[in-house]
Amino acid sequence: MSAQTSPAEKGLNPGLLCQESYTCSGSDEAVFECDECCSLQCLRCEEELHRQERLRNHERIRLKAGHVPYCDPCKGPNGHSPGVKQRAVVRCQTCKINLCLECQKRTHSGGNKRRHPVTVYHVTKVQELLEEEGMDEETKRKKMTEKVVSFLLVDENEEIQVTNEEDFIRKLDCKPDQHLKVVSIFGNTGDGKSHTLNHTFFYGREVFKTSPAQESCTVGVWAAYDPVHKVAVIDTEGLLGATVNLSQRTRLLLKVLAISDLVIYRTHADRLHNDLFNFLGDASEAYLKHFTKELKATTARCGLDVPLSTLGPAVIIFHETVHTQLLGSDHPSEVPEKLIQDRFRKLGRFPEAFSSIHYKGTRTYNPPTDFSGLRRALEQQLENNTTRSPRHPGVIFKALKLHVSFGASLRAGCKNSMNHGKEGVPHEAKSRCRYSHQYDNRVFTCKVSPTSLSSSSWLAGHTPL
């Protein structure tokens, strides 16, 4: 016991020094508390003191991080009885006793004792530690999410609402070096997407706004950080809702899909409708169309001989019914995922962009909805880092910024989204748009004259470089 140990190795409060000064002169860090000696003791003093015959049987406890001793005058005949003992706030160096606030006022507020030098304990931190020690795991998790708030990430006009990477991390309220994944949710308006996220990740707190009104309460893309699962949670606008520009909303959802590691498709219907399969099919086609080049580059760079679909996000279809059985209940021999794949094939849709599609259903006979099954399925997928690994929030922001500005990069100073002419939206730029999808947005230079022309204004008879 005589070997010296650093404070970092012991994990103790470096502010607690030996109160005996028997061997160390009070300069060493306290490691033990002896109740009968009424003092905190370092390794050397504890060993030397309790070699004595009369002190050998003293009860000592090894200190934990943030330890504060109990008040000596508060100790009853039964020792440290719960409900009677009080944590000390100071130690009187002259009287060599620990005092709680009440005992300090009672015994050291007048006379010569008020001039006694004292050592102050950091009781607030200790109380927090003690409270956490008494909590079960579920209560600790709930406490971690108490201060979480959501913020607007991208508005309905596809404009990103955070100024830079630092602003994104500050609003998420996470550490810059924290590794995290992205979970997003899609579904029809009114199906309870925000409500689902609140109960699945934040124990029912209204982190994402919900409303019983007919109008959709989620406009644009909202985000929040779940410190329990270490994920950025993204809430999106509902499908099939009233919107002025359907194409714009579809592009917005595609950009969210591009940065997601895990996607929840929320549906509240007695049966799975075709709009679910059509949306996932369209999203898969668009994902592969725009990101196949990047996915191939990734597989080549990492030396992976795998299909491109294994690199895409996973999907969990969360299906809530009231009057009907869950998918697969009437076919015990067939798993729901196989039935979903069969349904895709019948509709001629092939969701090849997704690494996997899972089904999780719940039947709500009486409210509230049971989200425990969805939570377990999410946790299982989040723990799987085979395909999608966690990354720093700065990387997520850069990817989001790249995809949000994707349309802008295809235009010559135009403020509107690509293909806005087909949607009846007027042009907002000093020059005509360069973008034309059939020419892959190329800009050609004439060999005869040094004039640069956009692909959409290319003239016949010119040979591009």
Side-chain angles (χ1 to χ4, degrees):
M1 295 178 66
S2 60
Q4 292 293 317
T5 309
S6 69
E9 292 173 331
K10 288 179 289 197
L12 303 179
N13 186 343
L16 293 180
L17 299 178
C18 179
Q19 297 171 347
E20 280 293 344
S21 305
Y22 186 77
T23 303
C24 69
S25 301
S27 58
D28 287 6
E29 184 185 359
V31 179
F32 292 94
E33 179 181 18
C34 179
D35 188 37
E36 295 176 75
C37 293
C38 297
S39 64
L40 303 179
Q41 301 167 3
C42 66
L43 284 169
R44 290 189 291 166
C45 289
E46 186 273 337
E47 185 176 20
E48 291 297 325
L49 276 169
H50 294 94
R51 280 180 178 175
Q52 302 176 43
E53 185 67 30
R54 61 188 180 87
L55 306 179
R56 187 169 296 170
N57 295 325
H58 281 189
E59 291 289 335
R60 287 97 73 190
I61 61 170
R62 195 174 188 92
L63 304 185
K64 296 181 179 179
H67 179 83
V68 169
Y70 290 104
C71 172
D72 293 316
C74 285
K75 295 174 184 176
N78 296 326
H80 295 165
S81 303
V84 177
K85 59 186 179 180
Q86 296 290 333
R87 290 283 176 180
V89 294
V90 296
R91 176 177 177 81
C92 178
Q93 300 290 3
T94 304
C95 301
K96 296 189 180 300
I97 58 173
N98 301 309
L99 299 166
C100 67
L101 186 60
E102 291 299 321
C103 290
Q104 183 192 18
K105 290 179 180 178
R106 180 169 52 84
T107 62
H108 283 63
S109 60
N112 292 331
K113 287 188 176 181
R114 67 185 302 176
R115 299 187 181 91
H116 287 184
V118 297
T119 300
V120 179
Y121 296 115
H122 300 287
V123 181
T124 304
K125 292 182 179 180
V126 174
Q127 287 177 339
E128 291 178 357
L129 289 171
L130 291 173
E131 287 177 2
E132 290 184 5
E133 285 181 6
M135 293 179 184
D136 56 47
E137 193 62 31
E138 194 71 5
T139 305
K140 287 181 182 179
R141 288 184 166 198
K142 189 174 182 179
K143 187 176 178 62
M144 290 173 66
T145 63
E146 284 181 351
K147 297 181 180 179
V148 176
V149 294
S150 62
F151 62 95
L152 182 62
L153 184 59
V154 183
D155 66 13
E156 67 273 22
N157 297 317
E158 302 178 79
E159 296 290 338
I160 192 165
Q161 297 299 299
V162 287
T163 55
N164 50 40
E165 182 179 323
E166 290 73 23
D167 188 34
F168 176 66
I169 295 172
R170 180 183 61 81
K171 288 184 176 180
L172 273 183
D173 194 20
C174 67
K175 296 179 180 179
D177 59 349
Q178 176 66 58
H179 287 79
L180 49 89
K181 289 187 176 183
V182 178
V183 177
S184 59
I185 192 166
F186 298 90
N188 293 336
T189 184
D191 274 359
K193 297 184 301 300
S194 303
H195 181 75
T196 298
L197 294 180
N198 289 338
H199 283 267
T200 304
F201 292 99
F202 305 109
Y203 298 90
R205 287 187 59 248
E206 193 167 327
V207 173
F208 296 104
K209 183 182 177 182
T210 60
S211 171
Q214 283 291 325
E215 295 79 12
S216 175
C217 59
T218 303
V219 178
V221 175
W222 292 73
Y225 175 62
D226 172 16
V228 175
H229 298 95
K230 304 293 187 298
V231 295
V233 185
I234 295 183
D235 193 13
T236 62
E237 287 188 30
L239 303 169
L240 303 183
T243 180
V244 177
N245 194 326
L246 181 61
S247 298
Q248 190 176 61
R249 183 177 60 189
T250 302
R251 287 193 300 269
L252 185 62
L253 298 182
L254 178 61
K255 291 163 186 174
V256 173
L257 179 66
I259 64 169
S260 299
D261 300 290
L262 185 58
V263 174
I264 305 169
Y265 191 99
R266 169 63 152 118
T267 177
H268 193 305
D270 283 334
R271 293 174 179 83
L272 296 179
H273 299 304
N274 285 351
D275 57 340
L276 180 156
F277 299 93
N278 289 330
F279 172 79
L280 292 178
D282 291 340
S284 174
E285 291 176 9
Y287 186 88
L288 291 177
K289 176 182 177 181
H290 293 294
F291 306 123
T292 293
K293 183 178 179 180
E294 287 76 8
L295 292 173
K296 286 183 177 179
T298 300
T299 56
R301 185 170 60 251
C302 300
L304 302 174
D305 185 17
V306 295
L308 296 183
S309 61
T310 60
L311 302 179
V315 175
I316 296 179
I317 298 174
F318 181 55
H319 181 205
E320 181 180 4
T321 69
V322 177
H323 304 291
T324 57
Q325 294 179 335
L326 299 176
L327 187 65
S329 298
D330 50 349
H331 297 86
S333 60
E334 295 185 348
V335 294
E337 286 75 11
K338 183 180 183 302
L339 297 174
I340 288 175
Q341 292 294 342
D342 291 342
R343 182 80 173 272
F344 272 114
R345 280 192 290 271
K346 288 179 181 178
L347 293 172
R349 312 311 298 263
F350 303 96
E352 297 174 345
F354 305 118
S355 57
S356 60
I357 297 180
H358 305 272
Y359 175 87
K360 181 56 63 176
T362 183
R363 187 172 181 181
T364 306
Y365 294 95
N366 295 299
T369 305
D370 181 12
F371 294 100
S372 59
L374 174 62
R375 188 181 299 112
R376 287 192 297 270
L378 283 166
E379 290 173 347
Q380 183 178 1
Q381 290 299 315
L382 289 172
E383 289 174 1
N384 182 7
N385 296 327
T386 306
T387 302
R388 312 278 297 195
S389 299
R391 55 223 189 264
H392 293 156
V395 176
I396 295 172
F397 173 76
K398 290 174 183 175
L400 175 67
K401 190 174 181 181
L402 174 66
H403 296 306
V404 167
S405 59
F406 176 67
S409 67
L410 302 178
R411 306 185 299 274
C414 181
K415 297 180 180 179
N416 295 322
S417 302
M418 54 187 176
N419 289 331
H420 62 81
K422 296 180 181 179
E423 298 165 4
V425 179
H427 181 58
E428 292 185 44
K430 295 180 180 179
S431 59
R432 64 174 296 183
C433 283
R434 289 184 177 183
Y435 178 77
S436 186
H437 70 278
Q438 65 265 35
Y439 295 108
D440 294 326
N441 194 43
R442 293 172 184 162
V443 177
F444 298 95
T445 301
C446 179
K447 287 184 176 181
V448 179
S449 62
T451 304
S452 294
L453 299 172
S454 66
S455 56
S456 57
S457 61
W458 180 249
L459 301 177
H462 285 73
T463 304
L465 290 175

